[in-house]
Each structure stands twice: as C-alpha cells, then as structure tokens.
Amino acid sequence: MAPFVGNVAQDDGSSSVTSSPLKTFSLMSLSPPAPYSPWLRELKSDERGLCLIHLLLNCANHVAAGSLDRANAFLEQIALLAAPDGDAMQRIASHFTEALARRALRLWPGLYHALDSARAVVLPLAEAAAARRHFLDLCPFLRLSYIVTNQAIMEAMEGEKVVHIVDLNASDPTQWIPLLQWLRARPDGPPHLKITGIHEHRELLNHTAVRLTEEAERLDIPFQFNAVVSKLDNLDVESLRVKTGEALAISSVLQLHSLLATNEGAAGDARKAQRAAPSSQLSLGEFLDKDHAANGHSPSTDSALSSSPVATSSPARMESLLASLWGLSPKVMVVTEQESNHNGAALNERFVEALFYYASLFDCLDSTVPRQSVERLRLEKMLFGEEIKNIIACEGWERKERHEKLERWAQRLDAAGFGMVPLSYYGLLQARRLLQSFGCEGYKVKEESGCFMMCWQDRPLFSVSAWRCKQYD
Amino acid sequence: MKAAPSSTHFFGIREDDQYSHQTTPQLQPSASVPTPSSSAVASQSSAPPKKKRNLPGNPNPDAEVIALSPKSLLATNRFICEVCNKGFQREQNLQLHRRGHNLPWKLKQKNPNEVRRRVYLCPEPTCVHHDPSRALGDLTGIKKHYCRKHGEKKWKCDKCSKRYAVQSDWKAHSKICGTREYRCDCGTLFSRRDSFITHRAFCDALAQESARLPTGMSTIGGHLYANRGINLGLPQLNSQLSSLQDQPHPSTDLLRLRGSSGSGAAQYDHLNATSFRPSPMLNSSPFFLGGNEDPQLLQSKPFHGMMQLQDLETNTNNASSSAAAAAAAANLFNFGFFPNNGSNGGNNNNNHHHHHHQSGHLLGPNQYANVGGGGNTEPMSLFSGDLISNHADTNMSSLYNPSVHPESVMPQMSATALLQKAAQMGATSSGGSGSGSLLRGFSGPSYSGGGGRHANFRSGGGGGGGGGENESHYQDIMNSFANGSGGVFASVNEQVSAFGGFNHGLQLQEMEEEKLQRNLSFGGSDRLTRDFLGVGSMVRSMVGGVPQREQHLGMDMGSVDHSEMKSAGSSSRSFGGGRLQ
C-alpha cells in the first residue's frame, strides 16, 4: 500500500488552506488592512526598517540612561512596527525591544525577578534543545563547525590507536556520527575511541550516549562514552578521566565565551544589592557614569572600542579552565566562537554590535527559510532571542553570551599556553563542499591566517580555530 | 547538509503543515513531468525511494483517468445483488455471490496483455489529487483518501475518543489503543512513540505559538490604537491651538504641549501617530491645521514644507524654555526623516510667529530658499518616505537580499543592508553634494532648525539653549546614522554656512557660538573615521548623546517658567555655555 504513505504527506499539503493562520498573520502585518492605519500601511519595508533602527537606537539610549518614561514611549512606538514574524528588521526589532524592556525592567528588581522566576519554569529544556536543533538544520554554521572540527581532529589523530575526544557541549550526537564513520574508514583501521561529553542536562547526554553507542556498534568500532553531567564553569577536570596514552582532542562549539562571565559589571552586583532598595536615582547616575567612562574610552583606537575595560588577562574561570585543559595536553583543541564583540562593558556598545551581528543572522534565515516557518520562529526566539536578551539585559555572572572576536580568543589562548594549529586546506574544501550542498549563495567560508571564518555575505559570523599545547623546548 | 526545507525529515509530518504551501508547488512540477513511456511503476521503483515518497499519485501518463463522484466513493457497497439486495464492495465478490443465487456470473479475467491502467481522481476540487497528474493509482486508495481527508470521521475509538474516517483505520487503532500509550503534558494521547516525540517537539512551541498569535494581532491593535490616538489627538491639538492663539506667551503653550506629552505615553502616541502620517497628508494639509479655522494658521499653510522643517525650532523653544519633557519630545520628534514633525513643528512655529508678530510669509520663503540652496531641490519631498526608498533603490541594490520571498514583489532590503544604509547616510551627506542623499533628508530639519533658531535669535528666545537642544537632536538623527566625523563635521560646517546664507540678520556672535558648540560636541566623533560601518559613531552618539541630554535636562528643569523663554539671549547663551563643560 505504498500510495498510502504518500497520501499522508500529500494530504497535508492539501490542507494548507486551513492550516496557515501564521501565514495569514504575517501577511497581515506586512500589509495591514486599509481602514486601520494609513501610515503603517504606507510604510514600505525599507522605511519601516530604517525607522525601527532609529527607534531602537534611541530607545537603547534611554534605557542605558535609565530614563524609563522615554524608553517606554519608544518601546511603544517600536511595538507598532516590530513583529516577530515580519521581515528581518521587524523580527530583530521585536527581540531587541524585548531585551531592552527586560533591561529597563531591571530597574525594578521586584518586578523583574517576579517575571523572571515565572519564566524560568515556562522555559523548557526541550524547547531550547529544539531551537538548537533548528539552528543546526536551518543554518549551515553548526555543521560547518562540526565538519571543520572533525577534520582537524582526524588530522591530529592520524595513526593514533587510542583516541579520546572531550566534547564541551555534548547535547547532540550529530557532530560525532560522521567522525565515527571517518574513523572507521581510516586506512589503519579505527582506533579505540572514547568520547567524553559534558553537559548540564543528563537527558541530553544520555540521548547522545545512546545514539553514539548504537552507531559505534553498527560500525563495529571499539567505543566508550563517558558522560559528565556538569556545567562548564565548575567542571572538574578529573571527571574527564583522561588517561596517559590517550591522544586527546577537545572540541568546543560556542561554549567558551560563557566562561568570560565575571562579576565585573559589578560594579553591577554590588550596585544591584543597593538597587534592591528603591533608588533608581542611583542607578541612573551610575549609568551615566558608565557612559562617561565609555565615552572617554572609545575614541582612542579601534581596538579599544571593541575591548573596553576587559584587560588582556582572562577572567578567573576562563583562566582556570584553559589552564586545566592545557594540563591535559590535548593534541588538538578546536574552538568555534561567535565572531562578534558582545562583551563590551557599556550597554550601548553591545547593543550596536549585537544589532549588526544578529541582523546578519536574521538575514540569512530570511533568505533561506520562509517567514511563517515555525522552526525559524522558534530558532529566532529561543536561541537568538535569548542570546540577545542575555547580551542586552543581563550583567555580571548572568551575562553568559560574552562573544568575542577571534583576535581576542587568540590572545587569550596564546596566553594560556596554546599555540595555533592552522586548519588544513582539505578542511576548507570540505566546508565549501558542505556549503555547496546547502545550496545558498550567501554563505561563505574564508580562511584567515590558519583559521576559518564562516560568513553570511561578507560578514564573518563564526570563527573556527585549532590549538594545541605549545612546545616549550 | 540539507537545504532548509528538508529539515522536514527530522520534524516529521507536522511540519508539512507549515511548509505545505511551499513544498507542494515545488514538488508538483516534478511529479507532473510525464514519465517516459515505460511503466510508471518501473520508474518509481528505480528512482530513489526517498524522493518518491512525497509524490503519491504519479500516474502512468497513458493510464485511464477516472473521476468518481463523492457518492460513489463513499458508497461502501457499490455492487448490489438484484436478488437479495446485498451490497458488495467489489464486483468480483458480487459475481461470486451471484453464483449462490444460481444467477449467471462471470469473473473478469485479468488480461495480462492489457497494460492499460486506471487512475482515480479525488472529487474534491481543492485537493491536489483532483489534478489528473496527481491521480491515485487504485480505487481503494482513492476511497480511503477521500474519506480520510474530505470525509466525516465517524468511527470513534471508545478508549481514547480518537476518530477515524476509515473503518479499517479505526480497527487497526482499536487493536493497539491503550497497549502502548504516550501522554503529553498537554493531555494528548499517542499510541505511537514517533508521533508522540514529534508532537513533543511541537507541543510547547504550539502553545507558545498560540499564545503569541495575539501579539501577531497586535499590529492590528496597533493600528487601532494609532488611529484612536489620532482621533484623540485631534481635539486636543485643536484645543491647544486655540489656546495658543489666545495666550500671549507661546512658551506656556509649548510647555503645556510638552507637559501633556510628558504625562503619558498615549500622548506621545497621538503625536507620533500623527507625525507618522505620510507626505501626502502634508502636501494636502495636515488635518488639524486644516480643521483649525484660525486665519493665522491658514496663512502659513502654504509653507508646510517650511513649517515642517521648522520643527526643530519647536525643540529649540522647548529646550530653552520648557521642562524635562521637552527633551523627550525632541527625541520623539526625531523621526525627522518621516513627514511627521510638520504637524507639531507647524503648530509651534505658527504660534511662534504669532508671538513675535512675524508673518509666516516673511519667514517662510527665505527659509525655504535657504534650505533649497543647501542642496535640497525639493524640500517637500525631502521628508516623504519615497525619498528614502528611492535612495535605497539606487544605492543599496547590491545589498538586497537575493531573497526567497516570492510573495514580495519588490526586492526587499536585508536588515544588514538597512543598518549599513543607516550608517552610510551620514557618510553620503558629508560630501554635501548629493541632493538625493538621505542624510540630507535627515539633516534638513537641522538646517531648518537653524532657520528656526534664527527666528529665535531675533526674538531673543534663547538661541544658545535652543542650539543645544537642536544639537542633541542633531546628534540623535545624524550621529546615530552618521558615519565618521568627517561627515558630521562637514555637515556642521555646512550648517554654519547655511546660517551664513541667511539674510535675516543672524548675529555673527551667536553663530560663532553655535559653531563652537558644535565643534566641541562633535569633536569626539572625528576620531572614529576609520569605523567604516559607523558602528562607532552610533555607539558614540548613544554614549555621548545621553549624558548631554541628561545634563541639559537637569538644567532645563530650572527654566520651566515660560517667562524664561522671553529672557534675553544672554541667559540662554549661558545655557549653551554650561553645556560645554
């Protein structure tokens, strides 16, 4: 009854007439019915976009200055134009305003925490996992990162009989399944493979473990999965169970930046304690202080603009993790990070950086995924939107999305005793082949002094770089 | 490794709902391509099964196409025994039955030579299988299809209340119902693990989605709101206008206007809702102006363009005279690039004229000319949204999304392109040559602000303070979009020269002060020239703009009294001086 299978899929198609409320809505927001609002209807997408940019910048201004009345007025304006399912700029605006609103709300810690604690319950792990999965499926970046990372690992592990891979975020087996296949196809036969996966949620780890074990069995590779349920920032290196004689590879995909979190805006935390007492006056003043400080900073040089007060030395957590990873003397450590500077001290700085960065990300979705796609909405909301919120609305330890550019990672890793391993041309070829199969013109992979930049159009969005312990001799 | 839509395989069937309108048309052509004369079945089996799974109904082109009526499709027993009226689903069965009645019977022999196959159409016109190219290959299939998709679900499972249209489906379900079940938190029961998992991935999202839909509505709500804002705004503005006319001191009225806008966001809304009105409104006549029969207002009506440009003056006045709200209002008015401010600017402007016994006629043309001389040949269209888009079209075509939205007729600018454009606008204007340059549109208000200030100077209404506020406005609009200092600087100079172009006895001293202020306040920006995206200057404008405004705000607090407005230029100059620190 083969046709039946088909029927199911097919008939879903036929039901599209009834099943697309989302589409209707998105269309509505694009071209609202005439009687309602002439001005809104007559705003073209571009005009609206420019208007939104302008409003957002002004709003950020006011939020940064703590002048909530005005921020509120702008938020209202933006709300008229933004839409999470509109064009790219509308979508971006809707996420940035939410972030700004959260930021503004922080001036009332009571309100903020009341809302936030409710939200923490609502936000299910599965949602976040699904969003990440969409990121994997809708954009090529993660897959690019995986394939480049795997290629670097393959090259570093050539001829090794016992291979141990530490995955700093083992929420997903997708990265390793091709590696298993590659290892199996090695001319000198597959090695003994151990993968240590770190993640704070056991369920996801288990899923990864099961999936990889199955695959290894199928391929008949000696395999062991070592699950470490832990957050990255309090990782016990002992639990990785790295043994002598193992060739170690470490893979970090969009993980390291969270360790840059410090209490430093904190200025922030100490103040927050004070702020608990209703003294918005103080916070307004303190915002101004901050702005003045940044004001004094930014004009000096380009790099100063990107780096504000963050000194060359890494925050303690980062330093200790890098030190302990270095202590394991990995043969290779492959790091993928967001190529943007979202770790500036001043909100305004971060806001504009993030605006540009996420504009690119939303653009690539806009050009490859239909607007009404639920996956896209979820990805934008649950992954990008959450990141944006974190960048804009959080400070101190809470601010985890401290993306930094490769340049700074290179300094940091270098300072921690790692030397760069240039990624191979073969890796680049593989990445490009993957992009070809993805079939969208806008994505590019560029080589930049031994590292790869994954770009949308010409803007680098993610960097991949490979490192190993420096040889001191 | 898949293009985006193919993520389907992971998310399962549900997703098809979302993609269906997209994927079906895409798939259809390939399905309707007639397979070469060899049998369709053969080609089907030889092709990769994965692809073919989505293409049911790939009939042999020379198959006989049969369209059955819904009635005959739904009839369970089409073949009736004329003796006992017993119905049969198949003719063969009836023939065998007839044998029992000793009636003549004949089993049809399948003729192996007769390769002619039959395909069946779904009678439902909206169904894809209504198209002969997508006809289904067997009668049972089409019947079940028709029942499942277009029929009533009359078979209900007693255990789980799930309904089926096809009895056999119901039977199959009944056998396993309850043996294995997966219950989602949302209350839905699943007997199949895979559908449960698929559902789980969507359940939360769907809940959120449905929760979110009202916000999708919000655009509509927004329109209503805005509309209401306008309606509300009308009488308010009118009353304000009349009060403006009555009272000798415009500053009070300004204050009141500001005060009210400061008092609530709704007020902002109506102001901006009005101000959002597109250029046609201005070209005709802003309704509240038209509605107001005051001769003074009518008089100045022909100079809408000018009045619009004068909006900055409003800010000027506010800055020097009014309270904290002024700054906010000024910012709101920063929509400078939309036709907006004409309304408010016009009002205050008129009011201003009134106060100073300066006819709109006198002031108008001059400014008009001046602004034109600054490179804007069409001041009116300056603010029209069209300019923006035209500009966008010419300048940014390379940045358009290569996009996939077949529904949008016009190419649409990507968010990146918009941001770059916003950043570029400063740069293009710095040349000071391109009349089409958008920043010109942006800086237009500033120029005219200068003009407005000029009026102010004459009136002694606080030129310095006004300049300061104007400057923050300037910063907001220009700097937030400006690229490097080069641009900003140039336009500062330009502005100064625009001042110079005024015949209206602009006092050099004040001009110098202006210049000084500007240079100082923009001084920082020039170090950002290398920041080619303009990010830096945006940051800067944010960083720099805010405290300044705050400071200013604090200073203005003291000057709430409208009489201050009337105070000599010297005092306002001291405002300006204060701001320099």
Side-chain angles (χ1 to χ4, degrees), chain A residues 194-212:
Chain A
K194 181 161 88 181
I195 293 183
T196 294
I198 303 163
H199 199 274
E200 57 179 310
H201 293 291
R202 183 172 293 282
E203 310 96 273
L204 292 178
L205 272 182
N206 286 345
H207 172 67
T208 306
V210 168
R211 187 73 192 80
L212 288 180

Side-chain angles (χ1 to χ4, degrees), chain A residues 367-405:
Chain A
S367 63
T368 50
V369 189
R371 287 208 178 135
Q372 64 275 19
S373 158
V374 180
E375 290 71 40
R376 180 175 162 193
L377 282 166
R378 185 181 302 129
L379 165 59
E380 288 173 348
K381 182 178 162 59
M382 300 301 299
L383 195 69
F384 300 158
E386 289 297 316
E387 284 176 8
I388 292 169
K389 267 187 257 176
N390 190 273
I391 293 168
I392 305 295
C394 296
E395 289 296 348
W397 292 120
E398 284 179 299
R399 184 152 66 79
K400 299 275 187 194
E401 303 296 340
R402 295 178 178 246
H403 313 149
E404 290 194 356
K405 293 201 175 185

Side-chain angles (χ1 to χ4, degrees), chain B residues 211-229:
Chain B
R212 202 189 50 75
L213 279 181
T215 65
M217 280 287 230
S218 77
T219 39
I220 297 167
H223 314 156
L224 286 169
Y225 187 35
N227 235 346
R228 200 185 55 205

Side-chain angles (χ1 to χ4, degrees), chain B residues 551-570:
Chain B
Q551 206 176 346
H552 182 63
L553 195 145
M555 293 180 60
D556 279 339
M557 287 297 211
S559 60
V560 177
D561 189 351
H562 62 80
S563 60
E564 286 260 349
M565 165 87 177
K566 285 172 72 189
S567 71
S570 60

Side-chain angles (χ1 to χ4, degrees), chain B residues 101-119:
Chain B
H101 291 300
N102 280 329
L103 290 166
W105 61 279
K106 185 191 168 201
L107 280 179
K108 255 197 278 179
Q109 293 294 316
K110 255 204 173 158
N111 184 355
N113 299 327
E114 194 194 339
V115 281
R116 188 162 179 79
R117 295 169 60 89
R118 290 172 167 182
V119 293

Side-chain angles (χ1 to χ4, degrees), chain A residues 11 36 70 76 363 371 378, chain B residues 145 205 227 265 412 416 553:
Chain A
D11 291 321
Y36 287 118
R70 291 177 227 171
E76 281 199 75
D363 277 344
R371 287 208 178 135
R378 185 181 302 129
Chain B
H145 158 81
N227 235 346
Q412 184 207 333
T416 313
L553 195 145

